[in-house]
Amino acid sequence: MRKIVEMGRLAYCVPSILLALGFIVVLTSLFIWVQPSTILQSLISREIRFAIGLSLITSFTVATTALVLGVPVAYAMARGIIPGGRLLETILLIPFGMPPVAVGATLLVFFTNTRPGSLLDELFRIVFTPRGLLVAQFFVVYPIVLRVLKNGFDSVNPIYEAVSRTLGYTQLKTMIHVTLPMASHSVLSAFLLAFIRALGEFGASVTLAGAIRFKTETIPIALYLSISGGELGSAMALIMISMIVAGVSVFTLLLLEEKSRAHGVVRA
Amino acid sequence: MKALLVQDLWVKRGKNIVLKGVSLEADERSILVVLGPNAAGKTTLLDAIAGIVIPFRGLIEIMGRIVYSSNNPKVFVPPEKRKVALVPQEYALFPHMSVYENIAFGLRAKKLSREQIRAKVMHVAEILGITSILDKRPDQLSGGQQQRVALARALAVEPDLLLLDEPFSAMDAPTRERMRSELKRLLKELGITTVMVTHSFADAWALGDVIVVLKDGKKIAGAHPRELIEKPLNHGVAEFLGYIVLKGRVEHVEHNVVILEAPGLLALRVQQVNTSLFKPGSCVLIAFRPDDVVLSKKPLSDVNTFTAKIEEVSFTRYGVRLIIDVGSLKLSVEAPRGPLTVLVGAKLSPGDKVFVHIPPNIINITPCQTD
C-alpha cells in the first residue's frame, strides 16, 4: 500500500521537478553569453532606467484603471444585472483572443482613420505617444481583469448580499462592505495579473505607440530596440529585469492567494 | 393590525412561475411556519417578503405598511427599508468579519455611535449566550453557534419581521431538537413576529402558531397545528402530511357510521358525524395516519381489524418501520418500539402474520368530487 502511495507521489514529483529544471535552464541560458559587468553597466544607463520607470508607471496606471472599470462591469455580468450580458461579455473579451499586434493595428486604424478616433487623438494625442501605450495596454489587459473579477464575484453567494440588504445596506454599500471584501482575492489577482501582463506587453504597444527612444520606450520596447541594434549587454540587463519583476509579481500573487485562502472565504 | 399580510402573490424565477397566488397573514408576536416539500416556493416566498425578488402580482404589507403592490399606485420598498431581517439556511455569516462585527453590521448601517453599537451587540450576545465567542471568525464556530450568531445579527437590528429559512437543516438530530425548543422560547420571550419556512414536520409542529402548507407554489392549507394534524383540510394536504390516502366506495351508511370498501380493507367502518354527504355506491377518499394504526398478535377488536403479513422491518430512531401487506394493499407503518413490543412481541421478522386495527375515529373521509 505504502509502495503504491510512494509511486503515486513520484508520478507527480518527477514531471514537476523536470519542468522546473527545464524552465531554470532556459531562463538563465542567456546570461552565459554576457559578462555580469556588462549587465551591471547597462543597468545604470539612463535609457534603461527610463524604460523601467515608464513600464512601471504605465503598468500600474493600466492595471488600476482596468480594475476600477472592471469591477462594476464584472459585477453586473456576474449578477445578470445587464440584459444581454453574454453578448457584452463576448464583445469585451474579443481582444483576449486576438494577437496583440492585431489589437494595436485595430487601435491605430481607429485613431487615424475614423472620425471619433481622430477626434480623440486630436484631443488627447494618443498615437505614437506614451498615452498610446496606456490605451494599447488597457485593451490587452482589460479582458483578463474582467474575467478574473467575474469569476470572483460568481464565487460570492448572492445570499450574503441579500442578508446585507435586509440589514439596511443599499446595493452599492453591500458591494463595498460585503461583495468586494469577499472577492478580495480575485480583485488582488486581477490587479497583479493585469500589472504583469501590462509589463510584458509589446505587440499592441509598439503598433500604436511606436518604438521611440526616451518616449514610448517600455522594457519590452527597449529590449526590442537593444536586440535590433545589437546591444546585447542592454538586452540581457532588460531580460534580467523583466525576469525579476515577473518573479516578484508572481510570487506576491501566489502569497496573496494563499493568504486569502487561509482567511477562508467560507460559506457558513 | 396584522404583522404580515400577503395577498395573491405571484413570483417568477427566470421563466418559471414559482409562487402562484399565495395569500397568508401573521399576527403580531406569532410564529408563522410555511411548510412544504423541496421546490414548493418556500424560499422564494421569504425572498419576496424581504424584497430580494420582485413579484409580478400581489400585495405585501408589513406592520400595516405596503412594501409591495402591483396595483396602482405600484409600490416596491427596497429590502433595506422593509425592517425585516433574514436568517438564511446557510446562515451566511460574513467570513471576513468576526462574530462581533457580524452582529454589529446592521447597526452600523443605522449610523449609531460606537458605544450604542457595543451596548446592543453585548445585549443580544448575552440573550443568545455567545459573549465568549465574539472575537472568533465564522469558520471557527460549530453549527449551533453559527445559528445563534446569525440570529443575533438579525435580532440586533430589532426588525418588525424575522424571516427564518430552514433554520435547523444544517444541524445534527440532537442539536436540532435542543435548538428547536431554545429558539421557540427565545422568539416568544422577545415577542418578535417570525415567518419560518421548513420542510420538516417536526420543526413546523414544534414552533408554529399557524402552519401554512405550500405545494408547487400554491397554498394548500393554513391552520393551527392541532387543527391541521387532526383533520387535514383536504386529501392533498393529507398526502403531504404523510397520511395514507386511499380511494374507496361507500357500502352503506348507518347512524353516524359509514361502511366502506377499499382495496384490501373490506367493510371499513368510519365514524362520521355528517353522513348525509355519503351515498351508497359513491366514491370516497380515505385518509388515516400510519402511526394511528394498531398492530397486534391477536385481534384487538371486531371492527376494522384485518390480517396482514410483514414484508419489511427497519429500525428508526425511536421506533420500527414496517411494510405490511393487507390484502392487495401495502401499508408503511411506523410504531414506537415499546407499545409495539407489548402488542406484537419483541421479535418481528418479514413473513410474520399480524393483525392490523384501524380505529374508526381516526379515519378521515371526503367524497371524491370535492377533493
Side-chain angles (χ1 to χ4, degrees):
Chain A
M1 186 68 178
R2 201 175 158 170
K3 239 177 187 174
I4 296 170
V5 173
E6 275 167 11
M7 287 293 283
R9 194 177 291 173
L10 268 182
Y12 292 114
C13 288
V14 170
S16 311
I17 292 166
L18 284 177
L19 273 167
L21 283 173
F23 270 57
I24 290 169
V25 170
V26 171
L27 291 173
T28 52
S29 58
L30 277 171
F31 298 108
I32 303 162
W33 283 35
V34 188
Q35 294 293 320
S37 56
T38 322
I39 297 173
L40 282 173
Q41 220 167 9
S42 305
L43 272 177
I44 51 169
S45 88
R46 214 178 121 236
E47 190 177 349
I48 288 186
R49 276 187 286 134
F50 175 87
I52 296 169
L54 184 64
S55 271
L56 291 175
I57 291 168
T58 53
S59 302
F60 183 81
T61 311
V62 164
T64 310
T65 314
L67 201 66
V68 170
L69 296 177
V71 165
V73 179
Y75 181 77
M77 289 192 312
R79 291 292 176 265
I81 294 170
I82 313 171
R86 195 167 292 167
L87 181 68
L88 176 77
E89 195 175 350
T90 309
I91 293 167
L92 293 175
L93 290 183
I94 284 175
F96 190 44
M98 285 167 71
V101 180
V103 175
T106 311
L107 286 167
L108 191 63
V109 169
F110 171 74
F111 285 116
T112 54
N113 283 294
T114 67
R115 191 175 280 259
S118 305
L119 195 70
L120 283 170
D121 189 40
E122 254 173 54
L123 277 172
F124 300 108
R125 300 179 135 252
I126 290 162
V127 178
F128 302 131
T129 68
R131 286 193 196 94
L133 289 174
L134 295 176
V135 174
Q137 287 177 5
F138 178 84
F139 268 80
V140 172
V141 152
Y142 188 70
I144 302 171
V145 169
L146 205 59
R147 198 69 214 143
V148 176
L149 285 176
K150 184 177 175 273
N151 284 347
F153 293 138
D154 277 337
S155 74
V156 178
N157 188 339
I159 194 67
Y160 291 97
E161 292 166 2
V163 169
S164 166
R165 294 293 304 276
T166 62
L167 291 171
Y169 287 72
T170 60
Q171 197 160 17
L172 183 64
K173 281 184 178 170
T174 293
M175 167 87 169
I176 294 164
H177 293 283
V178 175
T179 319
L180 273 177
M182 284 184 72
S184 58
H185 58 295
S186 298
V187 176
L188 284 167
S189 297
F191 177 80
L192 277 169
L193 282 173
F195 182 73
I196 296 166
R197 182 66 190 85
L199 269 180
E201 213 301 301
F202 174 72
S205 305
V206 82
T207 316
L208 184 66
I212 309 164
R213 283 188 195 272
F214 290 105
K215 191 175 180 189
T216 61
E217 195 177 4
T218 57
I219 295 172
I221 291 172
L223 184 60
Y224 164 73
L225 290 171
S226 298
I227 290 174
S228 52
E231 300 159 19
L232 269 186
S234 305
M236 292 309 120
L238 285 162
I239 291 168
M240 201 172 84
I241 288 158
S242 56
M243 248 185 238
I244 292 168
V245 173
V248 170
S249 308
V250 172
F251 190 69
T252 316
L253 179 77
L254 296 177
L255 269 185
L256 285 169
E257 271 183 4
E258 203 174 306
K259 209 174 164 190
S260 73
R261 256 201 301 274
H263 271 277
V265 179
V266 179
R267 303 268 156 78
Chain B
M1 180 179 61
K2 294 286 176 193
L4 172 70
L5 180 71
V6 173
Q7 274 179 359
D8 190 31
L9 195 69
W10 293 73
V11 181
K12 255 187 192 178
R13 290 263 202 195
K15 285 178 184 168
N16 299 332
I17 298 178
V18 183
L19 289 183
K20 299 160 186 166
V22 171
S23 298
L24 48 87
E25 53 185 49
D27 290 324
E28 269 184 74
R29 297 168 175 267
S30 70
I31 303 174
L32 168 74
V33 173
V34 179
L35 176 69
N38 289 340
K42 307 186 296 288
T43 300
T44 302
L45 175 66
L46 282 196
D47 287 352
I49 296 170
I52 297 159
V53 295
I54 305 172
F56 65 91
R57 197 193 304 168
L59 174 94
I60 305 172
E61 233 180 77
I62 297 170
M63 296 301 281
R65 183 169 69 115
I66 296 174
V67 293
Y68 170 77
S69 173
S70 58
N71 299 326
N72 279 332
K74 284 187 170 48
V75 178
F76 178 77
V77 176
E80 60 270 23
K81 290 184 178 156
R82 289 199 178 191
K83 287 199 83 185
V84 298
L86 174 70
V87 178
Q89 196 172 350
E90 315 88 324
Y91 308 135
L93 299 178
F94 303 125
H96 54 295
M97 297 179 196
S98 67
V99 167
Y100 180 92
E101 288 163 338
N102 262 283
I103 303 171
F105 186 77
L107 300 168
R108 292 210 168 103
K110 293 186 167 188
K111 299 205 168 73
L112 300 178
S113 72
R114 190 174 284 218
E115 290 70 35
Q116 283 173 310
I117 291 174
R118 179 149 197 90
K120 277 185 186 278
V121 172
M122 294 313 288
H123 176 64
V124 179
E126 262 167 41
I127 292 173
L128 284 147
I130 49 171
T131 44
S132 61
I133 56 165
L134 288 175
D135 292 331
K136 290 196 173 179
R137 294 248 157 202
D139 58 355
Q140 297 172 307
L141 307 179
S142 69
Q145 286 174 326
Q146 286 181 15
Q147 194 205 38
R148 279 170 218 231
V149 176
L151 265 173
R153 182 178 61 182
L155 295 174
V157 294
E158 295 167 13
D160 285 342
L161 198 61
L162 178 65
L163 306 173
L164 304 176
D165 190 357
E166 303 270 9
F168 311 108
S169 63
M171 290 176 189
D172 54 61
T175 316
R176 191 180 182 119
E177 274 173 29
R178 204 186 62 242
M179 289 304 290
R180 215 184 260 149
S181 52
E182 264 185 41
L183 180 63
K184 180 163 189 173
R185 182 184 50 78
L186 181 75
L187 294 176
K188 288 294 168 193
E189 264 175 30
L190 295 172
I192 184 157
T193 313
T194 306
V195 180
M196 178 179 105
V197 306
T198 180
H199 67 274
S200 156
F201 293 83
D203 293 350
W205 264 269
L207 275 98
D209 293 317
V210 172
I211 297 174
V212 164
V213 183
L214 214 61
K215 201 179 173 194
D216 298 328
K218 286 180 189 160
K219 176 181 157 184
I220 56 171
H224 291 274
R226 180 177 282 270
E227 225 172 277
L228 200 62
I229 203 71
E230 282 175 357
K231 200 153 182 71
L233 304 179
N234 64 51
H235 281 73
V237 179
E239 214 157 27
F240 173 70
L241 295 177
Y243 276 62
I244 292 166
V245 180
L246 308 167
K247 212 172 223 184
R249 197 170 57 82
V250 176
E251 277 283 302
H252 64 273
V253 181
E254 289 172 8
H255 177 67
N256 279 355
V257 172
V258 180
I259 317 250
L260 309 168
E261 190 198 323
L265 307 171
L266 281 168
L268 186 69
R269 293 172 76 87
V270 180
Q271 220 159 293
Q272 188 73 20
V273 180
N274 190 359
T275 50
S276 63
L277 287 169
F278 305 95
K279 302 277 176 260
S282 65
C283 170
V284 279
L285 285 164
I286 307 157
F288 54 91
R289 288 163 55 93
D291 49 346
D292 283 338
V293 170
V294 184
L295 300 181
S296 59
K297 274 282 181 198
K298 290 176 184 166
L300 290 181
S301 163
D302 293 338
V303 295
N304 292 359
T305 302
F306 311 94
T307 54
K309 199 173 83 181
I310 295 175
E311 275 215 342
E312 237 180 87
V313 182
S314 57
F315 292 94
T316 60
R317 210 159 146 233
Y318 298 118
V320 182
R321 184 184 296 281
L322 302 165
I323 309 264
I324 49 177
D325 209 341
V326 192
S328 58
L329 180 71
K330 271 197 186 19
L331 294 181
S332 173
V333 178
E334 193 176 334
R337 223 165 284 166
L340 197 69
T341 309
V342 174
L343 291 167
V344 191
K347 281 188 180 173
L348 284 173
S349 348
D352 285 358
K353 198 180 133 188
V354 285
F355 288 93
V356 173
H357 173 58
I358 309 168
N361 58 339
I362 61 115
I363 304 170
N364 293 293
I365 53 169
T366 46
C368 288
Q369 63 269 26
T370 61
D371 194 52

